[in-house]
Amino acid sequence: MGPLQNRPQAGALRSRLVAGYLAFICALVLLGAGAVTSSAYADDVTGDAPALHSGTETSETVVPDDSPASDEPAPTATPPAEDPASGSDQDSTPDSEESVTVESPLVTSDVAVSGLTRVEEDHVTLTYGGAWTSGTSAAASAGAYRYSYSAGATLTMYFKGTSVALIGPVGPTYGRIEIWLDGVKVATVSQYAAAYQHQQVVWSVAGLANADHTLVIRVTGTKEAASSGTIFVFDAFDIDGTVASKPSWLPDGRASHEEADSRTFREGRWTAVRTSAASGGSLLYTGTVGSTFTIHFSGSRVAWIGPRFTNYGWAAVYLDGIYQTTVSQYGASARHRQVIWSAEGLSNGNHTLMIKVLGKKDAASRGTVIAVDGFTVDELLVPRFEEKDSRIKRSGTWTSGTSTVVSGGGYVYSRQANAYVVVPFWGTAFAWIGMRGPSYGMAEVYLDGRSMGIVDLYSPASSSGEMVWAVSGLKDRYHVVVIRVLGRKSPMSAGANVVLDAFAFEGAGAKPAHWASRTVRIDDREFRLWRSGTWQAGASSAASSGTYLYSHRAGSTITVSFIGTSVAWIGPTGPAYGHARVFLDGVRVGTVSQYAPSFSHQQAVWSASGLADTVHTLTIHVLGTKDAASSGTIVVVDGFDVAGVQKQRFEERDRATLRSGTWQAGASSAASSGTYLYSHRAGSTITVSFIGTSVAWIGPTGPAYGHARVFLDGVRVGTVSQYAPSFSHQQAVWSASGLADTVHTLTIHVLGTKDAASSGTIVVVDGFDVAGERVTARSLIVSVAKQQLGKQYVWAASGPDTFDCSGLVLYACRAAGVSVPRTSRWQWSVTNPRFTTFEPLLPGDLCFLSSPSYIHHVGIYIGFGLSIHAPGTGKFVEYRTAHTWGCYGRVAASAWQGRYNGG
């Protein structure tokens, strides 16, 4: 492959391109076109088409589709990019602010061309992902172009040839794009220029091998400082070769793995259909919003095969847990065995592909159905135990059944209380595949001897092949899952049956990104542990991660801080072990003996569950005593298993919220804390600021409620309706999870509109549930400091990419509006009060080395006995236990000058 560059290359391609463009410009001059001028493309929420100007052309503006002035037929809408952080992205009302796009149809044969060929923006082989808008201008190639300012929008072309050039305008309102060639990012290119010029070579490459290639253009939504917008405008491609409708490695209409393969996963209600037109003679479809179809595969490429039809809708595609694009399965006529979405050039390893039903559609479509006919991948992963596998042990009364819609064609069920099944496996993730329906009951699930909670299988509608319970993020070792039938049911259910269809598991490597992590192992060497007294390190292949800590010195302690609802001390039992006292949140909760007649490893020596989902500490205190039969007093700690995520309710009038417009207060015993806020004035907003990984807007739904638009971190993520036929209180009206653990803002914007069935436009806010904490000066300092972990120490540096110790403190404090001097010695001088122990410290306080008369190093206390600091030359920003510093100080109140004054 030849060198990659952002300008035409030397040689035949460059000569032909330059000659062509010079001839074109000369022709414009001879025709009296004059100087090329242009106004900026619109870069606002209206989505109006940008105007292209050339010579004597007048400004062109695309008329909105709903305007009576438009003589053109309304184009078919294709899906905008879905924000994966938003959870459900289902808008309840039409929104005229969305970009209007046109989807290129797929064809089933290659389109042969020869020599240097112009591929226009509407070529049938091009694939657009995300939100794109069409425009027309005499200055554009063939008089038309497409544009997008939606970050993540993609344009894909498959071709066989030796060179390719991206043709488009440059100008003062344009942004940046990424260029991916054969799965490798080869360039980030800016379309910015001080003045507008049309049909420019924005990027090109020559000297490629005369083989199959895939070119992907990805909109970044970013720009140069001098640019006034982030729009990308695509005019055409020039290629030396042939362009194709699909990757050559895809067989025509035949999936290498059918949709009913037992190693695929489905959530929601999917229906099987047999038809000779489908690959393998069958397919699965659903119209249920939120339903998912997942495969785990190994290799460098994947394609989703399915039909297109007049009643098909939109689906979001996720690869390895990362949102890729939103695709439409709509077709003007029935077409089977189509490539709905594909990707190649992936790292040659394990991957997860998930398809999520959105319940949205093109304007021309009659429905929102999504259908899966199969997949083309190198190899499917995820081994599966069927319900009758010899490795699975059952106790109690279980009845066998058969069905064509279940894994392996069979299942077992029981409603006998305390009947159970034992499933041993070695791996990092596990899933129970079963059924939900109107006559199903409850079961309790245990993992490695600990209860993981109760699963209710009741559902108003029947479904099969569902992943009814799953866990991931486990250590790659031996585990045991027990499912116990409770013989109970919800009040709505007509029966207490529990159905076992199959069990899937994963070894080390591929982790299904959508499986919720329930339990986390904190190993003996992790920073969240701190020790006192005498502890020694040991190594053994039988230990978790191969290491452990032990002590026989009475009074030695080891403490772990965690956020969650359960905790277990993991360690061995054996004939030489002694006694320890256990304290939970400072309260003595028991004395434990690790003695046993023979050795067993990675046992739950002590555990507790049902804790409040908040911060806890667990302390193991060595006693130096033992059972009479024991030959020693050693206490061994191999790690801790914790489960749960901290969440807290911010009430609607919490200091973390800000309001604008007109809001009124209400009171009700059904509301959280007895109060709520409501508004029907369009434009009124309420904003909550928080630091954390998830957020949910809490409020009622009911027959008199209207619409609101939701913004996360200033980006619009959805339009929500609070309408429902009957009232329900304290509902999660909208939520997002999987956010970066940093500062976020969530804004609710009242629209003053409603569903047709609603009797009012009121929007009600009852509070917010946040997995995290309020934005305060102290929490900002800690959050900013954590974001610098792993960055390099450079003397006298104060960010954003390198730090010395006092520079890190200055950077974090400045972000929170707290004024501190530059050096560690002067930072000590503004602390008051000062301490000789870390125990009175609050997050955001400072830790110093080594004595008040000789300060030469500083760090930031973050809580739970930990600090963060930039340690020295050749090292990186890291954690340090707080008790190892010499002295401590709290920055004087006069320095807290920001919005969150006082911390």
Side-chain angles (χ1 to χ4, degrees), residues 599-635:
F599 288 103
S600 296
H601 300 281
Q602 298 191 44
Q603 303 297 301
V605 179
W606 180 91
S607 64
S609 60
L611 310 178
D613 202 2
T614 185
V615 180
H616 302 280
T617 59
L618 177 68
T619 299
I620 311 301
H621 180 106
V622 180
L623 293 178
T625 60
K626 64 184 184 71
D627 288 4
S630 178
S631 61
T633 62
I634 293 173
V635 170

Side-chain angles (χ1 to χ4, degrees), residues 47 65 74-78 96 98-102 131-134:
D65 296 327
T76 302
T78 57
S96 62
E98 292 291 355
S99 297
V100 175
T101 63
V102 178
W132 291 81
T133 302
S134 298

Side-chain angles (χ1 to χ4, degrees), residues 724-759:
S726 58
F727 286 102
S728 297
H729 300 281
Q730 298 191 45
Q731 303 297 299
V733 180
W734 182 91
S735 64
S737 59
L739 309 178
D741 191 13
T742 185
V743 179
H744 301 282
T745 58
L746 175 67
T747 299
I748 312 301
H749 179 106
V750 180
L751 293 179
T753 59
K754 65 183 184 70
D755 286 7
S758 179
S759 62

Side-chain angles (χ1 to χ4, degrees), residues 602-834:
Q602 298 191 44
Q603 303 297 301
V605 179
W606 180 91
S607 64
S609 60
L611 310 178
D613 202 2
T614 185
V615 180
H616 302 280
T617 59
L618 177 68
T619 299
I620 311 301
H621 180 106
V622 180
L623 293 178
T625 60
K626 64 184 184 71
D627 288 4
S630 178
S631 61
T633 62
I634 293 173
V635 170
V636 183
V637 174
D638 197 4
F640 299 90
D641 281 354
V642 299
V645 178
Q646 180 190 21
K647 290 183 180 178
Q648 57 177 311
R649 172 71 52 88
F650 293 176
E651 294 301 333
E652 76 283 353
R653 287 185 282 186
D654 191 281
R655 59 189 173 91
T657 63
L658 295 173
R659 301 191 299 275
S660 69
T662 303
W663 292 87
Q664 293 177 270
S668 170
S669 59
S672 175
S673 296
T675 63
Y676 57 93
L677 290 168
Y678 67 97
S679 177
H680 52 72
R681 181 67 59 88
S684 296
T685 66
I686 184 168
T687 299
V688 61
S689 297
F690 65 97
I691 297 174
T693 57
S694 73
V695 62
W697 160 20
I698 305 302
T701 56
Y705 298 150
H707 300 152
R709 190 164 291 146
V710 180
F711 294 81
L712 184 64
D713 298 332
V715 177
R716 175 181 163 189
V717 291
T719 301
V720 176
S721 173
Q722 280 190 278
Y723 169 79
S726 58
F727 286 102
S728 297
H729 300 281
Q730 298 191 45
Q731 303 297 299
V733 180
W734 182 91
S735 64
S737 59
L739 309 178
D741 191 13
T742 185
V743 179
H744 301 282
T745 58
L746 175 67
T747 299
I748 312 301
H749 179 106
V750 180
L751 293 179
T753 59
K754 65 183 184 70
D755 286 7
S758 179
S759 62
T761 61
I762 292 173
V763 170
V764 183
V765 176
D766 196 8
F768 301 89
D769 280 352
V770 172
E773 58 187 324
R774 289 172 178 81
V775 182
T776 67
R778 292 187 178 280
S779 63
L780 271 175
I781 290 172
V782 170
S783 176
V784 172
K786 286 181 177 179
Q787 292 172 49
Q788 315 317 315
L789 286 166
K791 293 186 177 180
Q792 190 170 17
Y793 176 99
V794 173
W795 183 80
S798 55
D801 299 314
T802 57
F803 300 90
D804 67 6
C805 64
S806 56
L808 176 64
V809 172
L810 179 70
Y811 185 86
C813 289
R814 182 180 291 164
V818 178
S819 177
V820 297
R822 176 61 180 84
T823 67
S824 59
R825 189 171 303 176
W826 283 106
Q827 288 168 358
W828 168 257
S829 72
V830 298
T831 59
N832 182 28
R834 296 168 175 172

